Amino acid sequence: MEIRDLTPDDLDAVLDVRKRSFGLVPAHEAERWRSMVIPTLPEGRYLGAFDGGRLAAAARLRPFTQWWHGRPQPMAGVAGVTVNPEDRGRGVGSQIMRAVVERAAALGDAVSVLYPATTPIYRSVGYEHAGARHRVTLQPEALRTIRTSGQVKLRRMGPDDAAEVISVLHRVHGASRASGPVSWDEPTLRAWLGRPDDFLYLADDGYLIYRWDGGDIEVDNLVAGSADTARALWALVGTSSTIATKVVAAVAPDDPVLWLLRERSTDHLTVTRWMFRVIDVAAAVQRRGYPRGVTLDAVVEVDDPLRPGNTGLWRLEVSDGTGTATTTAAGSGASAEGPRLSVNGFAALYAGVPTATLRGSGLMTGDDRHDESLDTAFAAKPYMLEYF
């Protein structure tokens, strides 16, 4: 099996694998997909596994920015992982995913995320459950009760506002110390903001993207950096309350709208889980944000069969909102004794999964003296608004 970069000549075969894996692809969607993919092929972000000259599997690495405790870093979003039905069960999926991890490292990404169609294959290459996309069902008339200050200026937005949207995300996610949300690269965002059936509004510190879905409203993105802007954007959605039967919105698990509603007795929530991998331990720890006022000095042992450079003892130090991970030798003192984690367990720890959960699931063993400090330093409620 040969794994290589895809070229434009391979895209018909990719579409065939996608059709066999996920169902029919309408012609207009196929053309839009081609227009988005072709410019990225020279970047080495689309891999194919070939059996002779026949495409057996494919996987794409999408360039994202992801925030962890308010600090942005590059992230490899893995999408479009497809294997021909006749090639399944031969280890082809694992082969291409191992190549994806190595390519993410070569591209300079220290972390990676994917939405799994199945879990075992991704766990086998170091990905672990970390966060989720939360979609809540709201009653339109409840949004109409949200009172606004009348001071927030909203305007319609489009593709030319892509850079401003990215700027808003950096300011809002940084100030809120968010963990997990992402931003598309500017070319992709420009295309997204050009979809004809979406309604888009921009404020100085927030924006809204929504659409009609039959008799319902679907909110893709609503990001706000202040209470006034949150009220203004949600109230705008609520202006359709006399027509819409319900509003389905992608939200943070503690989105302010859930406290703005006058009536909230039950939540109807759909959760789609995503998985996370640390590609480079040292770079990932250095690029992450941490709570100010929290200090950590602990040694952990990481085992990463796929990337030996991650395997070994790591001294984790956190102070003043920043962190470092440095390799350390065994037997260099009591401080060099600590918990042991698979790379899956380290990914989950990084994403805020409590040490008690990691120990209960077998992802973490050994010395527990630093567990509370590790929980405090890596505390997070990771979420995403996007699905890719």
Side-chain angles (χ1 to χ4, degrees), residues 60-74:
R60 185 179 178 192
L61 294 85
R62 307 195 68 172
F64 286 100
T65 296
Q66 185 177 40
W67 280 262
W68 284 99
H69 200 78
R71 184 168 297 168
Q73 64 170 297

Side-chain angles (χ1 to χ4, degrees), residues 157-169 183-191 193:
M157 68 175 176
D160 290 342
D161 294 301
E164 178 60 24
V165 169
I166 292 172
S167 176
V168 167
L169 288 170
S183 171
W184 305 91
D185 60 289
E186 190 171 335
T188 302
L189 187 55
R190 285 183 63 87
L193 297 180

